[in-house]
Amino acid sequence: MQEECVSLQVCVSVVGALECVVRRCLGPDGGSVLFTRDTGETLITRHGQRLLSALHLQHPMARMVLDCVCAHAKATGDGTKSFIFLLAAVLRGIQDSHMHRKGSWSVPGLRNLANRLMAVSRKELEDITTHKITPYASLYCSLHSYKLEGNVLDLLIGGYISGRVGIGQADVLKQVLCEFYHKVSKDQNAAETISFIHSNFSFLHTTVTGLPIGCSEVIEGLVVTRDWSVWTELEGPIKALILYESFGAVGENIFVCIQRDYVLCTESIMKQKLASLLDLQVHVILSSVKQPESVLQWARLNRISLLECVDLPQLEFLSNISTAETLPHAALQQLVMLKYCRRMQLSGHRYACLGMFSHMHTLVLCAPAPGLLDQTVCVSQGVFAMLQHLSESFCQKPANTRSDQSQNVLSSQDLWGGIMHAGGVIPVGGTFEFLLHHYLLNERKSCDPESCRLLAEALLCLPRTLYAHNHRRFLNIQIRFLNDLKRWDKTKEQESEMPELKFGFGLSESSALGLESVSGKKQLVVSVLQCLHRLLCVGAILHTRSLLRTGLQTYDEEDEEEKPERSDFTQSTDA
Amino acid sequence: MSRICKKKPAVCTDEPLSNSNICQKIFLFRNILSTAYGPTGRLKQIHNNVGGHVLTTSTSTALLRRVDMSEPLLKMISTAVQHHTARYSDCGMFMGIFMLGLIENTQKYNLRTITAAKVYKHLVEECNAYLKGDSCGCKVPVDLTSCDSLIALACSMITSKPACMLNSRETQHISSLIAQAFLYSIPCNSSGVTCFGRTVTIGIEGQSVSDSSVFPGLLVDVPEMLHPADVERLGSGPFRVVLFNVSLSGDISEVGDVTLEIHRGVDPERDLLKQLLKLGEQVVKEKVRLFACQKVVHPILQHYLRKHGVVVIERLGLALIEPFVQITGAQAVASVCSLVPTEAYGMVKEICFRSCGSRELLQILPSKDTAVSTMVLCHRNETMLEELKMTCQRAEHVLRLTLREPYALLGGGCTETLLATHITHMNESSAATTAAALCVSQSEFLMAVEAFCSSLQSVALSLEHDGQDCLIDLTYAHRWVPDIYTKTCGCGLVEDRSNLEKTPLNTAYHTFSPVSLKNSPDNQPRILDSFSAKLNALNVAVEMANFVLDVKYIIKDIN
């Protein structure tokens, strides 16, 4: 058994290595990272979580950080790159402070510090966000409401994607995503729409390669990436049959007994089956499997459109959203009503397009090459994950401030407007970090000024990296921001008229203006401090060769499969 | 307990574009593309070092499909070009050279990625606006009422593929065939939603190119045992047709992978044959004259049908089923057990023998207008024939694209020079305001404009392979070669005259606004490029270049 001592030094270098990879992709000015495997797979991404998960992390501490990052991403859907930066900055801050003290941090001392930081995150951070930052955000938004009104969503999406796709593509993608959202939502409950899009995104988009991203569009109806095997032009509402099995299926391990006239017998069985379909008056058949040629011929003769080999999950999705009626005599057949059926041309292929009675739309995402397409799809999906987290946190939180009835049905305008006025969003580009930095330093009541200062200094690393190419700009912005803030504080005391806060727009010179969620940002700080706590509490790593079983012996089945595997991995890969 | 091998650490490359090894590979790739570009492009021969097939080509599609890139960035570029050509069939080389030029120039001028991306995006939007606008000097409308511009378009496509090995007379012949096939594939006098017809291509090796031709209807191989006399005996059409898409071989293998249990005294194959003959009887009774089957037909059934004067075509193949259905209007019958429904019968106007070079083929003529034609292409050997077939199919596709956007761009490098001149001129005066709007410094902006325009010009420069200079005139901004015999510019629109001032393309010259020429009927450009294809290539190239420039880190997993 090997023992490896974990010092602060190790933590700093491990997190520093991660930071080094992530540094290249931060913010709108960042670049992307290309992964390749010998198998020919490529992955191009700027997405923090995908980036970190794709790395083969050897050091157990690094994998622990990754776990924390994933947990955070699951909670907010945003901020994974900032997570690594902040963590690295806090660790470096601790290291520096220890150098000043000219004595090394003892393990209990470190643990103590970690606990104190956690306490700061529980008390001071909470205070500052509720009493200082939220009012600021709310005030900011109301001052700029003439610019923000109606396009909060655009700005939120813009803020999210600007750091994840190249500069030229962000605008186009933002427009098409907003259009998609508005077309799907159409006066429906906004929160529900978001969670509907988020959970069914894989069915609601289709991809095209070889065209620039600007050609992306939104199409009415559900696009199925198969061509009609039998196609007849049909009008108006259509009754459609969903089939999950082949009509000619014989099945496996079956004896076929050939008797006299068997040829005619098999034929007549098929005929009976098909005749029963005619009784149902269906005009469209959607099948998840290939049907025998004779069914195709029958469909052609009876002017019925037939679509074969539809993706099974997609077919199930279709039957779910249009409340399919299952036929009593056959379990694997369902009836649905369709608004229309079309045959459409997309990127040189003929696809089927099914019209729904709900506001169903399909997002068509284009990109010149598959890797780039993958990135675009991933970002679009991430946008809706982020929006869902935001709308969820908004709908849960202020139950006391709003009446119950309005909580049930929120239109799109209400939801995003509500979030904006409640101070739920703040301009991107370091506003949150500047504010928190300022208030943490000036918090007079704080019982632990040392930890506060540590955190406050670390926070500034984010805007500093964002403006890495132009350090003077960073200083200018900071000075201007502080001046603004002082004026704001002064006027608040005098209760006179508020001055215009230019800060957020001052930043937007180079990047498009965007908004981000305050609660997500707060969660980021909390998550980082939790992760730090976990890191600092580790005293030593033991490299064993035996099977690791931690915790209770009674696992859930899922745990049982995952955990031992991971511990194997830990042992075999030495740092 | 399964062992897990220790993974090797990944190979990381920071700032791949400043890595000299990668830059060298990019340069090599650009060299391969630009030397193969245009009508005088050098052919590339691709073969495996252990022998096997040798491919001679100069088209981007064939070239890139066969060449594996070791560098992931180049692989991405190569896939992007292939995906473009799969959609638009043309301008793959243009896209590749332009894209690599942009990447190289950005490195050369040492521009920041973010600046370059913003400015390129802005410039390509300007290009789009200019090319789509009415005042565009490098766009000519395609007149679909006369076939001159169609033939010119097809001709420029063929001349830019030197691996087809055609002389000028053969080029003329093939381009008029392509235009003819394209016109055949447009359905006339139809209302509502219509579909394009299709052109079936048949290649015949070892024959002179001038034997190639286009026939209306469908040409299929002559079935064995069919003699011209049999066809003559049919008399004049129209004839009734039946088409089967199941096997009529009389085997019972169709049931699938199951265990069969056969009762005593039952002979399933005899039963099936009996059923087949019953079908035959019905078909004969209903006066069917052409019996076609996608798969195999039982010899006894064939014999029976022939005896009753029915022409049998078997093993038609899946590819020909759709055009066959289109020309006959028959519905494919999929069951041998029941009688053929009356709706399933189709009609043909005539069946006749055609000899194309050394091969005898059976021509099936549709009874009504169905927009199906067959193009028979002949060439001296297999490699050339392969290239010619591909070129013809692509050229026809390009012609179809003109229906959506009925324009063509000037070929011969004139579009590139004109566009570059226009963009430089446009942005010179407004540099300060545009740069401020894009949040970049003015000098950076001007450098990026220069990088963009010189990349465009480098495409025009790549057309020349014999060491000659390329010139640009300072009035119309068309491309010229210093040759005493050529009296016109690259595209053939501008006539040379003594007072036309010209300067080498890659030297500095003052900016000017190109004078646009009025299109007159007697002055038409000789060389045309596809409008839609080039526009898409331009956009995709800029997007991909921005994307490649954006890659800051490569992580190569070598496990």
Side-chain angles (χ1 to χ4, degrees):
Chain A
M1 200 187 282
Q2 269 182 311
E3 185 176 339
E4 185 190 338
C5 272
V6 179
S7 60
L8 187 61
Q9 189 59 47
V10 174
C11 290
V12 171
S13 60
V14 164
V15 179
L18 292 181
E19 186 196 13
C20 201
V21 176
V22 171
R23 179 182 291 280
R24 295 174 172 81
C25 327
L26 188 79
D29 292 1
S32 46
V33 173
L34 177 66
F35 281 95
T36 59
R37 294 238 160 87
D38 277 356
T39 50
E41 288 170 87
T42 49
L43 168 72
I44 303 138
T45 190
R46 290 185 179 213
H47 195 281
Q49 197 189 347
R50 292 188 84 187
L51 190 63
L52 293 171
S53 323
L55 292 171
H56 275 299
L57 296 179
Q58 300 243 318
H59 200 281
M61 300 292 266
R63 286 210 295 272
M64 203 162 97
V65 173
L66 178 61
D67 283 348
C68 294
V69 168
C70 292
H72 169 71
K74 213 173 162 191
T76 59
D78 193 7
T80 43
K81 283 173 280 185
S82 316
F83 185 103
I84 299 288
F85 272 102
L86 194 54
L87 184 62
V90 176
L91 278 169
R92 270 198 301 268
I94 295 175
Q95 198 182 26
D96 288 350
S97 73
H98 125 234
M99 292 212 184
H100 285 301
R101 286 174 158 213
K102 294 205 181 83
S104 83
W105 283 98
S106 56
V107 175
L110 276 178
R111 205 166 300 162
N112 184 19
L113 182 70
N115 284 333
R116 271 159 43 206
L117 279 169
M118 285 287 278
V120 168
S121 83
R122 270 192 292 270
K123 188 171 166 294
E124 273 89 352
L125 184 64
E126 198 67 43
D127 275 0
I128 291 170
T129 6
T130 5
H131 299 302
K132 300 280 169 49
I133 297 179
T134 314
Y136 176 88
S138 153
L139 177 75
Y140 171 85
C141 289
S142 55
L143 281 175
H144 292 288
S145 60
Y146 60 96
K147 285 177 194 160
L148 298 175
E149 202 68 68
N151 57 5
V152 186
L153 190 71
D154 295 30
L155 295 174
L156 272 170
I157 295 179
Y160 182 86
I161 55 182
S162 63
R164 284 169 176 82
V165 292
I167 194 110
Q169 303 140 15
D171 287 342
V172 210
L173 196 58
K174 184 176 87 179
Q175 275 167 19
V176 77
L177 287 176
C178 286
E179 188 193 342
F180 176 61
Y181 169 77
H182 287 302
K183 281 196 171 157
V184 174
S185 82
K186 211 137 209 180
D187 319 322
Q188 283 172 344
N189 184 341
E192 269 177 28
T193 312
I194 285 291
S195 75
F196 171 75
I197 297 178
H198 172 60
S199 47
N200 298 310
F201 190 74
S202 57
F203 308 117
L204 295 176
H205 80 275
T206 179
T207 55
V208 173
T209 52
L211 298 178
I213 291 182
C215 292
S216 304
E217 54 180 339
V218 182
I219 291 179
E220 200 189 341
L222 188 69
V223 175
V224 180
T225 51
R226 300 262 176 257
D227 187 21
W228 297 94
S229 310
V230 180
W231 170 244
T232 33
E233 202 83 27
L234 294 165
E235 285 288 318
I238 307 156
K239 206 190 246 180
L241 180 76
I242 299 181
L243 287 181
Y244 294 104
E245 61 173 8
S246 167
F247 259 107
V250 188
E252 275 176 52
N253 301 325
I254 289 180
F255 286 98
V256 170
C257 182
I258 296 193
Q259 297 168 356
R260 223 163 269 283
D261 292 339
Y262 88 100
V263 176
L264 296 177
C265 281
T266 46
E267 188 69 16
S268 65
I269 293 171
M270 175 83 83
K271 267 190 182 155
Q272 271 173 18
K273 282 188 188 172
L274 293 174
S276 69
L277 289 190
L278 277 187
D279 293 341
L280 293 170
Q281 291 188 321
V282 292
H283 294 290
V284 175
I285 296 181
L286 310 170
S287 161
S288 63
V289 290
K290 183 129 184 58
Q291 297 290 347
E293 281 293 336
S294 50
V295 176
L296 264 68
Q297 190 201 344
W298 167 83
R300 273 192 291 268
L301 285 176
N302 292 294
R303 296 185 52 73
I304 288 173
S305 299
L306 176 68
L307 189 62
E308 295 173 301
C309 306
V310 186
D311 238 11
L312 190 61
Q314 193 171 24
L315 212 52
E316 278 164 358
F317 167 71
L318 176 75
S319 72
N320 278 341
I321 54 163
S322 46
T323 54
E325 166 196 345
T326 306
L327 292 179
H329 57 273
L332 291 171
Q333 300 183 0
Q334 289 178 324
L335 279 180
V336 289
M337 287 303 286
L338 297 176
K339 202 169 166 190
Y340 57 81
C341 285
R342 279 187 201 141
R343 181 178 234 182
M344 59 180 292
Q345 185 95 21
L346 201 62
S347 71
H349 299 281
R350 274 191 298 205
Y351 290 150
C353 181
L354 309 174
M356 300 286 144
F357 283 100
S358 54
H359 300 285
M360 182 62 66
H361 283 79
T362 303
L363 181 64
V364 180
L365 291 171
C366 306
L372 205 48
L373 188 63
D374 194 40
Q375 190 187 22
T376 318
V377 171
C378 176
V379 169
S380 316
Q381 199 160 12
V383 163
F384 292 104
M386 181 270 297
L387 289 178
Q388 197 197 1
H389 288 300
L390 185 59
S391 74
E392 256 176 11
S393 67
F394 177 70
C395 290
Q396 280 165 8
K397 192 175 40 178
N400 47 353
T401 52
R402 285 178 296 121
S403 57
D404 277 355
Q405 53 175 16
S406 69
Q407 200 176 346
N408 291 332
V409 185
L410 271 176
S411 76
S412 192
Q413 192 73 28
D414 288 347
L415 177 70
W416 305 120
I419 288 176
M420 186 179 91
H421 290 295
V425 287
I426 200 161
V428 292
T431 324
F432 182 85
E433 286 82 3
F434 277 131
L435 281 169
L436 191 56
H437 169 83
H438 178 77
Y439 288 118
L440 273 174
L441 285 184
N442 300 339
E443 186 71 49
R444 283 168 209 131
K445 292 177 299 209
S446 169
C447 44
D448 189 2
E450 190 198 348
S451 312
C452 282
R453 210 186 54 247
L454 194 67
L455 182 61
E457 291 304 329
L459 275 168
L460 277 192
C461 81
L462 278 174
R464 206 172 273 147
T465 326
L466 268 180
Y467 303 101
H469 62 271
N470 193 346
H471 192 67
R472 223 170 85 200
R473 213 114 153 269
F474 167 72
L475 294 176
N476 280 342
I477 286 166
Q478 195 184 7
I479 289 164
R480 210 163 66 198
F481 174 70
L482 286 177
N483 288 341
D484 266 358
L485 211 57
K486 268 181 204 143
R487 261 203 337 236
W488 184 49
D489 281 344
K490 213 178 281 169
T491 48
K492 206 164 60 173
E493 279 162 24
Q494 295 162 358
E495 287 177 14
S496 64
E497 206 175 288
M498 301 286 176
E500 176 120 349
L501 297 166
K502 295 183 214 73
F503 173 63
F505 285 102
L507 266 181
S508 68
E509 278 167 10
S510 78
S511 53
L513 171 71
L515 295 173
E516 60 192 346
S517 134
V518 171
S519 66
K521 277 279 165 188
K522 194 194 88 188
Q523 182 58 41
L524 172 72
V525 178
V526 175
S527 305
V528 166
L529 293 179
Q530 276 166 355
C531 177
L532 183 77
H533 187 253
R534 277 182 74 179
L535 281 181
L536 293 185
C537 287
V538 175
I541 301 168
L542 299 182
H543 297 278
T544 69
R545 303 223 175 271
S546 62
L547 199 63
L548 262 186
R549 284 204 180 273
T550 46
L552 297 168
Q553 286 296 313
T554 51
Y555 293 119
D556 293 342
E557 266 185 51
E558 264 179 53
D559 280 357
E560 192 120 30
E561 280 185 5
E562 272 179 24
K563 275 195 183 164
E565 255 177 51
R566 184 178 296 162
S567 36
D568 289 349
F569 204 53
T570 317
Q571 295 152 25
S572 60
T573 56
D574 293 4
Chain B
M1 195 178 88
S2 62
R3 286 181 70 89
I4 295 169
C5 295
K6 189 167 174 175
K7 302 242 158 132
K8 276 178 239 154
V11 179
C12 302
T13 319
D14 193 10
E15 298 284 341
L17 289 179
S18 29
N19 184 321
S20 64
N21 190 17
I22 294 177
C23 285
Q24 208 180 345
K25 281 179 183 166
I26 290 180
F27 176 73
L28 179 69
F29 187 32
R30 192 169 82 97
N31 216 9
I32 291 175
L33 292 185
S34 57
T35 49
Y37 186 54
T40 57
R42 306 298 187 238
L43 301 187
K44 300 281 174 283
Q45 219 170 42
I46 304 164
H47 57 100
N48 193 317
N49 65 356
V50 289
H53 191 73
V54 177
L55 177 87
T56 310
T57 187
S58 70
T59 61
S60 59
T61 330
L63 193 69
L64 295 178
R65 201 189 301 149
R66 304 278 192 320
V67 177
D68 268 338
M69 305 286 166
S70 61
E71 201 50 56
L73 280 179
L74 292 184
K75 205 183 270 173
M76 300 254 351
I77 292 173
S78 163
T79 12
V81 175
Q82 289 179 53
H83 279 270
H84 164 78
T85 45
R87 291 277 162 281
Y88 287 93
S89 300
D90 194 13
C91 296
M93 282 287 179
F94 164 80
M95 178 179 157
I97 299 170
F98 179 52
M99 188 196 308
L100 293 166
L102 270 182
I103 294 169
E104 280 185 346
N105 279 337
T106 314
Q107 292 300 109
K108 197 171 85 190
Y109 288 93
N110 209 2
L111 288 167
R112 276 198 306 134
T113 313
I114 188 89
T115 320
K118 274 186 205 161
V119 180
Y120 293 163
K121 178 91 187 144
H122 169 75
L123 294 180
V124 81
E125 270 158 17
E126 249 174 30
C127 289
N128 285 342
Y130 176 66
L131 290 177
K132 285 178 184 162
D134 296 330
S135 61
C136 174
C138 40
K139 182 170 75 173
V140 285
V142 171
D143 183 9
L144 289 168
T145 53
S146 85
C147 44
D148 284 351
S149 43
L150 292 180
I151 292 179
L153 202 53
C155 186
S156 341
M157 265 206 81
I158 296 169
T159 41
S160 70
K161 310 281 185 288
C164 291
M165 304 280 182
L166 301 179
N167 61 31
S168 64
R169 226 187 46 240
E170 290 167 338
T171 308
Q172 271 306 317
H173 180 59
I174 293 289
S175 28
S176 59
L177 286 186
I178 293 170
Q180 201 184 341
F182 165 69
L183 293 175
Y184 268 133
S185 73
I186 303 173
C188 37
N189 62 44
S190 54
S191 54
V193 184
T194 54
C195 272
F196 266 120
R198 55 160 67 213
T199 311
V200 178
T201 313
I202 294 177
I204 298 176
E205 207 182 305
Q207 212 70 42
S208 128
V209 179
S210 50
D211 288 337
S212 311
S213 50
V214 175
F215 299 100
L218 196 63
L219 262 64
V220 294
D221 285 322
V222 176
E224 287 172 55
M225 332 270 285
L226 184 74
H227 305 291
D230 299 335
V231 175
E232 271 166 32
R233 213 175 302 138
L234 286 176
S236 62
F239 307 120
R240 209 166 214 200
V241 181
V242 71
L243 170 68
F244 284 86
N245 61 357
V246 284
S247 167
L248 300 180
S249 65
D251 291 339
I252 46 164
S253 54
E254 268 184 30
V255 209
D257 203 9
V258 294
T259 319
L260 288 177
E261 186 183 297
I262 299 172
H263 279 222
R264 192 183 290 272
V266 178
D267 185 348
E269 298 198 339
R270 201 190 56 211
D271 284 359
L272 257 177
L273 183 59
K274 221 187 264 172
Q275 184 61 36
L276 288 181
L277 286 176
K278 215 184 275 174
L279 266 183
E281 257 172 55
Q282 187 211 352
V283 163
V284 169
K285 204 163 60 192
E286 308 227 3
K287 298 205 169 52
V288 169
R289 285 284 164 264
L290 181 61
F291 185 99
C293 180
Q294 183 188 336
K295 294 170 186 172
V296 181
V297 180
H298 197 286
I300 296 183
L301 178 61
Q302 279 198 48
H303 180 77
Y304 174 83
L305 290 170
R306 269 202 303 275
K307 211 172 67 191
H308 290 86
V310 180
V311 177
V312 182
I313 304 174
E314 61 165 353
R315 301 180 211 220
L316 206 50
L318 185 61
L320 284 184
I321 286 292
E322 206 190 306
F324 193 89
V325 166
Q326 272 182 23
I327 62 164
T328 59
Q331 288 180 0
V333 181
S335 126
V336 293
C337 307
S338 48
L339 296 177
V340 179
T342 356
E343 301 96 312
Y345 290 117
M347 280 297 192
V348 292
K349 192 174 147 205
E350 212 186 320
I351 310 171
C352 54
F353 273 75
R354 281 270 168 204
S355 55
C356 305
S358 59
R359 234 161 102 183
E360 284 282 299
L361 292 163
L362 190 67
Q363 186 181 15
I364 304 167
L365 283 166
S367 58
K368 53 181 190 297
D369 171 47
T370 53
V372 175
S373 63
T374 307
M375 186 190 258
V376 178
L377 290 173
C378 307
H379 213 319
R380 290 177 287 277
N381 71 31
E382 192 197 337
T383 325
M384 297 175 192
L385 182 62
E386 208 45 49
E387 183 93 358
L388 183 65
K389 253 166 108 171
M390 198 173 73
T391 308
C392 289
Q393 279 161 2
R394 294 181 163 264
E396 203 196 334
H397 184 216
V398 165
L399 292 187
R400 283 188 184 189
L401 290 177
T402 58
L403 289 184
R404 202 180 298 160
E405 284 163 312
Y407 296 107
L409 289 173
L410 304 181
C414 291
T415 298
E416 285 85 1
T417 49
L418 219 155
L419 198 58
T421 314
H422 172 78
I423 291 292
T424 318
H425 177 74
M426 279 274 290
N427 285 295
E428 195 172 49
S429 48
S430 62
T433 48
T434 327
L438 293 172
C439 304
V440 295
S441 74
Q442 193 177 339
S443 59
E444 274 181 321
F445 177 75
L446 286 175
M447 264 196 313
V449 172
E450 202 181 321
F452 187 88
C453 292
S454 73
S455 311
L456 264 181
Q457 287 179 346
S458 77
V459 182
L461 279 171
S462 309
L463 279 169
E464 189 52 60
H465 303 284
D466 297 320
Q468 275 183 311
D469 273 341
C470 277
L471 305 177
I472 178 172
D473 71 77
L474 298 180
T475 318
Y476 307 106
H478 280 234
R479 177 186 163 274
W480 300 79
V481 277
D483 188 349
I484 40 166
Y485 301 111
T486 42
K487 291 276 176 281
T488 56
C489 70
C491 65
L493 196 63
V494 185
E495 296 269 337
D496 201 4
R497 51 172 201 263
S498 54
N499 60 352
L500 197 61
E501 201 183 340
K502 286 180 228 150
T503 171
L505 193 52
N506 43 4
T507 54
Y509 50 89
H510 65 90
T511 62
F512 61 98
S513 175
V515 176
S516 68
L517 280 160
K518 282 279 153 280
N519 276 313
S520 59
D522 50 288
N523 186 18
Q524 282 292 329
R526 279 179 294 110
I527 311 277
L528 292 173
D529 279 344
S530 164
F531 178 77
S532 320
K534 197 156 250 183
L535 199 62
N536 190 63
L538 191 70
N539 280 282
V540 171
V542 170
E543 199 155 278
M544 277 309 288
N546 280 346
F547 171 72
V548 170
L549 289 170
D550 198 47
V551 173
K552 293 283 181 241
Y553 206 62
I554 297 180
I555 300 176
K556 219 179 200 166
D557 186 351
I558 48 168
N559 286 300

